Amino acid sequence: MSRCTRMVDVGRRQFLRGGAIAAAGAATATMVPAEQARAAGMALVEYPANRIANIADLAPNEPFDVTYPDADAPGVLLKLGKPVEGGAGPDGDIVGFSTICPHKGFPLSYHAEGRTMNCPGHYSVFDCEAGGQQTWGHATQNLPQYMLRVDDKGDIYAEGVDELLYGRHSNVL
Amino acid sequence: MAYKRHIDRLPIIPADARKHNVTCHYCIVGCGYNAYTWPVNKQGGTEASQNIFGVDLSEQQFADTEAWYAPSMYNVVKQDGKDVHLVIMPDQECSVNSGLGSVRGARMGENRRSDKTGTQQQRLSDPMVWRYGTWQPTSWDDALDLVARVTARVIDKDNEDDLFVSMFDHGGSAGGYENTWGTGKLYFQSMKVKNCRIHNRPAYNSEVHSTRDMGVGELNYAYEDYGLTDAIFLIGANPLETQSNLFLNHMVPGIRNGAKVVIVDPRRTVTVNACEIEAGKENVLQLAIESGTDLALFNTLFTYIADQGWVDSDFIAKSTFQGQVAQGQDEAHPAALGSFEMARQECRMSLAEGAEICGVAEADIIKAAEWIAKPKDDGSRRKCVSAYEKGIIWGNDNYRTVGALVNIALATGNIGREGGGVCRLGGHQEGYMRPSDAHVGRPAPYIDQLLIAGQGKVHHIWANDHYKTTLNASEFKRVYNKRTNMVKEAMDARAGATRGELVDAIVGAIEAGGIFSVNVDIIHSQIGQSAHVILPAVESGEMNLTSMNGERRMRLVEKYMDGPGSAKPDCLIAAGLAQSLERVLREEGRSDYADQFKGYDWETEEDAFMDGYHANTGEIVTYDRLRAMGNNGVQEPVVGFEDGKLVGTKRLYADGQFDRHGREDKKALFCAGAWRGLQAPGKSAQRDSYAFLINNGRSNLNWQNWFLDKDNDFVSDRYPFPFIEINPEDMAELDLEQGDLVEVYNDVGATQAMVYPTSTARRKEAFMLFGAPSGTQGNVINAGVNELILPNYKQTWANIRKISDAPASVRHLSFKSKEYTSA
């Protein structure tokens, strides 16, 4: 039986319970959000502007684990090495995504060769070079992507998410 | 950028929301959902006591949680005239899907019509009549009166052959037992309409005549059999995409339990990939045969298995016909039927011959035979589920091919037993209850070709869109547009005339070769552009509706919202039409004929259900009893009611008695159908004249002919055009880039598609998505059918040329491999 089966089983039993965060790739550094998100009493969700990395932290095509908008919401930053729509930074090639599958909440893995986020639960594939579009799969939304800003120092700030995150009725809890 | 909703918060379902049973109205699997509704001025809260889940929603919910719903599951709709919030989410308690939602069903919420959120504004809300050079909304009385008066002019008590009818026969969606009964009673009881067809084929026939003639109904197992079997034998099927949660919730557990998988398909599908991931490549065998050679493969397997003695001799002796021929080959039977030995003789094909015809290795055929039928080391019988779908149903030599597959299941005793079954996987759900169709005859009239030939004067169409989903569609559209335009011009020329004068004008145009087209549908379809009267129907959930799924599991979908405007259930539209015909015929002094249209005094769809299903199936099932059975329902046939519960039937033929053919001896028959090459007219010549096989079928994303999906942003963003998967080397030869628009053309027509590079596609074998509004695949399917008028979509050849560079609407798309790989 393949490794994926075990991952699914692990996912079904343990995923995200007790605050465990899924790792999207080999990189291990995780930034603690500078500001813990709080739901605001207004019609629109108030997103925190969190510094989640510096450009210097990123290596081309290597996933860098982050969380946003809070520590229970795992995600990833990628420096794709070529400009893409929605890409931030001086090269327009930095993107960030949730790493929780919007279908059933399983942890996605980064497939570096294809530059896709792949779900071991039910085989869905999301294209990191196409705004997280579901190349194939069961989710009824494309992969939630971060709105990023990079300042003069190379600090990367997340300032919003463009789809509802799995497991939340409000992106900011 | 990919389409994003920018919804970052959803209303929470309050603890006291109304809960309704819902079966997904899309595919055959029929996943359980619940629809929750609550007043628009209320909402639940994050505290456990404030929401329906009893869960603290201020915390992140985990994988497989039952306490989360996606934006696609939410809408604001009308219920009893008032605005309500609506969430339609998968039901964890339903044994079919255990809480899984597919990319189709999990969009039911946002595919509801809403005046508040603006979704599905394309839904028809009022009857419309061609008037003043366009369609004008009007009342039901006005529209039905015109339909009845024109129809009455072309039908007679003894001859209704000038009335052509295209009518759905499926469950789910806007079908179901209520609506097939309403239309069936009108056309097969009050009338005896012979010139009719079904939503997805050009005649009124079965897709699987041979299995039925052999005594084996095509939905004979239970989904749990996948978890109890030693082997899963999939033919012409791609269940991960087209029966998604059957694959995920039943086949995958079976595979993880050790079942080996044999897949017969010329194309490597995502199903093949997923099976390899779950089982390991060594436990999955894809037989990528030459297109259309399934019959040769099955006959080779049957021969080999029988020669090895891997058959269930007791079963053959007790449950199958003994003798020679029970039913000879004739016009209605494209192969003789009879005993095991007779069929074995007729079907005999050596490994060498089979391997040569199918283009696969002899060793692989042997391996498949071993996985399917070789007794285990302890001598016990190997269990195998065989499941097939459009790859052979819409393929070469339908009758013999399906029969040859059922031969293998019968010979190995794999029907009516745990871990067995030989079944259609299915498209829509089922929900068929009609008076006898015996008067239609067999072979049934080839309706599309008769219409093309100028026959038919009035055409009633119930949720069929021939323009998107028929074969020989290029010619059909050309002729149908011309014939219906003749009537439109006649109506335009008599603007301001009285009803009598208008009917005379229409009849005059009909007699000159025109046709009067009445379109009953939920949207203004492509063939609906030709209509003279348009009648708006409601869908599942906008009415109470019953259907059964691929393991015959019957459920009641409870009405949870109002239909658009004055739209009605099809059964009540049929009743209204019957009553209008009765009135008009009586006015005309044709009272004997008018009397035939009595018996439609239904107030609700439940009345139609009681008149049809209830009265004709032992008077056991009622709405109340079915509602109490919830989303797990009951498996048909329903045989009793005990302790407050309906009692069903887990699998058919458990007693070894086969009755689908109606034979008194209840013995199953084998099919003696020898291989005879590409059987349908024109196929061989097309293969020899054009460069590419244009294989065709479904994706998981697009339901049926995209009737709702074409107005769904998530779907239309992904596939603005139908894709055509082409090998990159073929692309290079044709100077094509990803996303380029190409024309696919051959001797019968042309269509367009968007190039999707696919490294696993075999050279000169393209695969095009079916049913798209922006590129009708049926345009290049020739008119060739089998003896019983079953269409042959899959064996189609054509050339490909570039029309244009990738249009703006496709430049942002992902064109990567659809196959999951572990990182």
Side-chain angles (χ1 to χ4, degrees):
Chain A
M1 204 61 65
S2 71
R3 184 182 69 87
C4 304
T5 305
R6 292 197 301 276
M7 280 191 68
V8 173
D9 289 337
V10 166
R12 292 206 165 116
R13 287 195 304 272
Q14 297 171 0
F15 173 59
L16 275 181
R17 293 189 194 278
I21 302 294
T28 53
T30 299
M31 303 295 289
V32 176
E35 176 194 340
Q36 286 294 329
R38 292 280 180 272
M42 58 179 71
L44 290 172
V45 167
E46 186 83 2
Y47 283 97
N50 289 356
R51 177 188 174 280
I52 53 175
N54 185 280
I55 286 183
D57 298 324
L58 304 181
N61 205 27
E62 282 188 21
F64 182 83
D65 293 339
V66 297
T67 64
Y68 185 80
D70 55 58
D72 282 340
V76 67
L77 282 180
L78 293 162
K79 183 172 172 56
L80 294 168
K82 70 171 193 183
V84 295
E85 281 190 70
D91 302 324
D93 67 341
I94 298 171
V95 291
F97 294 99
S98 164
T99 53
I100 307 292
C101 183
H103 174 226
K104 293 302 287 182
F106 287 71
L108 302 170
S109 310
Y110 186 61
H111 182 242
E113 188 187 335
R115 301 185 177 211
T116 56
M117 298 295 295
N118 295 1
C119 181
H122 310 98
Y123 330 112
S124 299
V125 175
F126 302 89
D127 190 342
C128 297
E129 295 180 309
Q133 184 169 59
Q134 185 170 242
T135 305
W136 188 89
H138 310 280
T140 53
Q141 57 198 84
N142 294 313
L143 192 60
Q145 184 168 4
Y146 300 152
M147 290 151 185
L148 298 177
R149 173 173 62 84
V150 181
D151 71 10
D152 297 345
K153 294 179 288 191
D155 284 339
I156 303 169
Y157 291 83
E159 299 185 321
V161 182
D162 61 9
E163 277 281 6
L164 191 66
L165 296 169
Y166 181 89
R168 296 173 174 226
H169 298 261
S170 169
N171 274 348
V172 177
L173 293 172
Chain B
M1 282 289 283
Y3 169 72
K4 298 292 175 71
R5 292 182 185 78
H6 290 279
I7 290 174
D8 46 21
R9 169 190 264 189
L10 284 177
I12 292 172
I13 307 173
D16 60 353
R18 274 178 71 182
K19 182 179 179 180
H20 313 256
N21 295 328
V22 171
T23 302
C24 176
H25 53 234
Y26 296 125
C27 91
I28 181 84
V29 179
C31 294
Y33 283 72
N34 287 120
Y36 296 96
T37 56
W38 68 98
V40 75
N41 62 337
K42 307 278 186 194
Q43 63 178 338
T46 55
E47 284 180 28
S49 63
Q50 294 175 328
N51 63 67
I52 193 84
F53 309 110
V55 166
D56 178 2
L57 295 179
S58 69
E59 295 187 350
Q60 170 77 38
Q61 304 302 306
F62 306 115
D64 277 337
T65 179
E66 61 182 334
W68 186 72
Y69 38 96
S72 62
M73 300 175 193
Y74 172 78
N75 216 329
V76 178
V77 299
K78 291 268 193 233
Q79 184 184 71
D80 301 326
K82 293 176 182 159
D83 289 325
V84 292
H85 297 276
L86 168 72
V87 170
I88 308 176
M89 59 186 295
D91 181 359
Q92 303 259 7
E93 303 305 315
C94 177
S95 67
V96 173
N97 56 311
S98 304
L100 288 170
S102 76
V103 71
R104 300 171 297 282
R107 288 185 289 108
M108 276 189 286
E110 75 177 3
N111 270 350
R112 304 294 72 191
R113 185 179 188 274
S114 173
D115 295 327
K116 296 296 173 290
T117 62
T119 53
Q120 292 297 330
Q121 291 295 298
Q122 63 165 343
R123 288 289 305 276
L124 295 168
S125 59
D126 292 286
M128 294 195 288
V129 171
W130 184 263
R131 198 174 267 163
Y132 321 131
T134 185
W135 294 279
Q136 300 291 342
T138 187
S139 69
W140 279 97
D141 285 347
D142 177 42
L144 286 175
D145 182 76
L146 180 60
V147 174
R149 286 185 191 281
V150 176
T151 303
R153 291 283 289 270
V154 307
I155 55 172
D156 186 54
K157 195 169 167 53
D158 302 318
N159 186 345
E160 287 146 344
D161 293 350
D162 286 335
L163 172 59
F164 277 47
V165 177
S166 301
M167 54 178 170
F168 60 82
D169 75 340
H170 57 71
S173 213
Y177 291 113
E178 295 79 4
N179 293 326
T180 59
W181 176 251
T183 46
K185 185 172 183 178
L186 175 61
Y187 296 112
F188 288 172
Q189 184 169 306
S190 297
M191 292 184 264
K192 293 279 184 230
V193 170
K194 184 180 77 176
N195 289 321
C196 49
R197 59 162 272 173
I198 295 171
H199 56 278
N200 65 349
R201 51 197 187 267
Y204 204 91
N205 50 12
S206 168
E207 294 179 324
V208 288
H209 277 300
S210 53
T211 187
R212 293 179 179 184
D213 291 348
M214 294 162 77
V216 183
E218 65 271 22
L219 301 175
N220 45 65
Y221 62 14
Y223 283 168
E224 71 176 43
D225 285 316
Y226 288 105
L228 301 169
T229 195
D230 300 308
I232 298 172
F233 185 20
L234 299 171
I235 308 96
N238 180 15
L240 176 57
E241 294 213 69
T242 52
Q243 295 86 14
S244 306
N245 292 331
L246 169 59
F247 183 86
L248 295 172
N249 204 39
H250 300 276
M251 294 187 191
V252 167
I255 293 167
R256 289 182 183 167
N257 209 22
K260 293 180 184 291
V261 188
V262 179
I263 299 171
V264 181
D265 198 324
R267 179 173 74 121
R268 181 179 166 86
T269 60
V270 290
T271 297
V272 177
N273 182 57
C275 289
E276 288 178 353
I277 286 164
E278 296 300 338
K281 286 189 180 183
E282 66 280 12
N283 293 310
V284 179
L285 174 63
Q286 182 191 0
L287 293 167
I289 60 172
E290 292 292 323
S291 177
T293 62
D294 308 73
L295 175 56
L297 175 69
F298 298 156
N299 282 350
T300 306
L301 285 169
F302 181 51
T303 301
Y304 185 81
I305 288 168
D307 287 353
Q308 298 301 310
W310 297 340
V311 295
D312 190 329
S313 301
D314 282 352
F315 179 87
I316 292 171
K318 285 182 189 153
S319 292
T320 71
F321 176 77
Q322 307 297 304
Q324 280 294 304
V325 175
Q327 169 65 58
Q329 181 175 338
D330 59 24
E331 193 193 27
H333 301 84
L337 308 173
S339 69
F340 168 67
E341 286 300 341
M342 188 276 288
R344 193 178 165 193
Q345 210 59 40
E346 289 294 319
C347 298
R348 180 163 287 284
M349 185 169 272
S350 70
L351 281 173
E353 208 179 347
E356 167 72 21
I357 292 169
C358 299
V360 297
E362 286 184 37
D364 281 344
I365 299 178
I366 293 171
K367 187 194 273 188
E370 288 175 348
W371 288 7
I372 291 166
K374 187 180 181 182
K376 297 177 189 175
D377 292 343
D378 64 1
S380 62
R381 198 178 63 85
R382 192 172 292 276
K383 292 178 280 185
C384 177
V385 184
S386 302
Y388 60 98
E389 198 31 54
K390 291 292 187 283
I392 57 173
I393 290 172
W394 284 173
N396 178 40
D397 216 349
N398 164 299
Y399 192 92
R400 292 184 173 202
T401 301
V402 173
L405 176 63
V406 178
N407 280 348
I408 297 171
L410 279 173
T412 55
N414 266 312
I415 306 177
R417 291 170 167 174
E418 283 192 358
V422 55
C423 300
R424 267 195 68 199
L425 281 168
H428 285 88
Q429 284 185 77
E430 303 293 328
Y432 189 89
M433 180 54 60
R434 277 181 179 152
S436 168
D437 63 354
H439 64 278
V440 171
R442 179 168 154 181
Y446 190 169
I447 296 305
D448 285 23
Q449 290 302 97
L450 293 177
L451 286 167
I452 288 170
Q455 292 195 38
K457 294 179 177 176
V458 171
H459 190 194
H460 293 180
I461 304 171
W462 299 77
N464 281 222
D465 199 344
H466 307 233
Y467 280 26
K468 280 189 285 188
T469 54
T470 200
L471 65 169
N472 196 23
S474 295
E475 185 176 18
F476 183 88
K477 283 180 271 202
R478 208 159 51 233
V479 174
Y480 201 79
N481 282 341
K482 184 178 169 197
R483 296 188 65 197
T484 51
N485 274 332
M486 289 171 69
V487 174
K488 283 182 179 171
E489 286 167 17
M491 294 175 83
D492 290 346
R494 294 297 285 159
T498 65
R499 174 58 45 99
E501 291 166 343
L502 180 67
V503 171
D504 285 343
I506 291 169
V507 172
I510 289 170
E511 295 302 335
I515 191 165
F516 183 73
S517 184
V518 180
N519 198 282
V520 188
D521 211 320
I522 63 167
I523 63 160
H524 198 171
S525 64
Q526 287 196 351
I527 196 172
Q529 307 299 318
S530 299
H532 307 101
V533 177
I534 296 169
L535 303 174
V538 299
E539 270 201 299
S540 181
E542 298 161 352
M543 64 177 286
N544 297 289
L545 189 140
T546 54
S547 307
M548 75 172 194
N549 78 348
E551 54 173 349
R552 310 171 320 284
R553 189 178 295 277
M554 182 183 189
R555 274 79 55 89
L556 169 69
V557 176
E558 297 180 277
K559 178 178 176 177
Y560 52 79
M561 65 179 281
D562 303 345
S566 66
K568 294 181 185 183
D570 290 85
C571 55
L572 299 185
I573 298 173
L577 183 50
Q579 288 160 344
S580 296
L581 278 165
E582 185 195 355
R583 176 176 52 78
V584 167
L585 291 169
R586 216 170 285 290
E587 261 180 49
E588 294 176 354
R590 302 157 76 185
S591 55
D592 279 2
Y593 196 22
D595 287 344
Q596 292 179 200
F597 294 88
K598 286 180 170 175
Y600 293 89
D601 49 349
W602 305 327
E603 294 288 322
T604 66
E605 59 270 28
E606 186 171 6
D607 295 337
F609 178 83
M610 296 303 281
D611 188 50
Y613 188 94
H614 178 80
N616 290 287
T617 56
E619 303 189 345
I620 302 169
V621 182
T622 64
Y623 270 17
D624 283 344
R625 290 175 176 183
L626 207 47
R627 186 180 293 114
M629 299 299 286
N631 282 333
N632 284 322
V634 58
Q635 284 179 274
E636 295 186 63
V638 181
V639 295
F641 182 71
E642 293 168 13
D643 302 327
K645 288 184 175 172
L646 292 166
V647 180
T649 308
K650 180 169 276 188
R651 51 182 75 76
L652 303 183
Y653 316 124
D655 57 359
Q657 305 280 304
F658 292 89
D659 58 3
R660 189 62 181 84
H661 44 27
R663 289 174 59 89
E664 284 186 7
D665 65 3
K666 300 200 174 173
K667 304 291 187 194
L669 307 178
F670 284 85
C671 179
W675 165 251
R676 51 180 175 168
L678 291 182
Q679 175 268 334
K683 295 295 180 184
S684 296
Q686 206 179 55
R687 179 189 57 196
D688 296 340
S689 308
Y690 295 94
F692 280 87
L693 172 73
I694 309 295
N695 193 359
N696 53 88
R698 302 289 186 184
S699 82
N700 65 335
L701 189 59
N702 311 93
W703 171 246
Q704 224 253 350
N705 67 37
W706 308 25
F707 55 90
L708 294 181
D709 287 340
K710 73 187 177 68
D711 198 24
N712 181 284
D713 290 331
F714 175 71
V715 173
S716 57
D717 173 68
R718 177 70 184 113
Y719 294 134
F721 298 91
F723 59 74
I724 184 164
E725 297 175 353
I726 305 180
N727 180 285
E729 290 177 47
D730 289 332
M731 284 174 58
E733 280 183 9
L734 293 168
D735 201 18
L736 297 173
E737 301 289 334
Q738 66 183 30
D740 284 355
L741 265 191
V742 291
E743 185 161 68
V744 179
Y745 63 99
N746 62 12
D747 51 330
V748 295
T751 189
Q752 63 176 22
M754 163 184 89
V755 174
Y756 203 109
T758 304
S759 61
T760 55
R762 296 200 288 197
R763 295 294 309 272
K764 307 297 182 191
E765 293 194 4
F767 179 89
M768 180 173 168
L769 186 54
F770 182 81
S774 51
T776 299
Q777 205 276 326
N779 287 358
V780 294
I781 310 294
N782 79 358
V785 292
N786 88 340
E787 294 97 326
L788 300 182
I789 324 298
L790 270 300
N792 186 176
Y793 285 98
K794 305 293 182 181
Q795 281 71 51
T796 291
W797 285 266
N799 288 340
I800 295 171
R801 66 180 159 222
K802 182 168 170 173
I803 295 178
S804 113
D805 289 339
S809 61
V810 314
R811 282 185 211 142
H812 69 289
L813 299 186
S814 175
F815 285 100
K816 291 180 179 170
S817 168
K818 298 167 190 172
E819 291 193 6
Y820 167 86
T821 48
S822 56

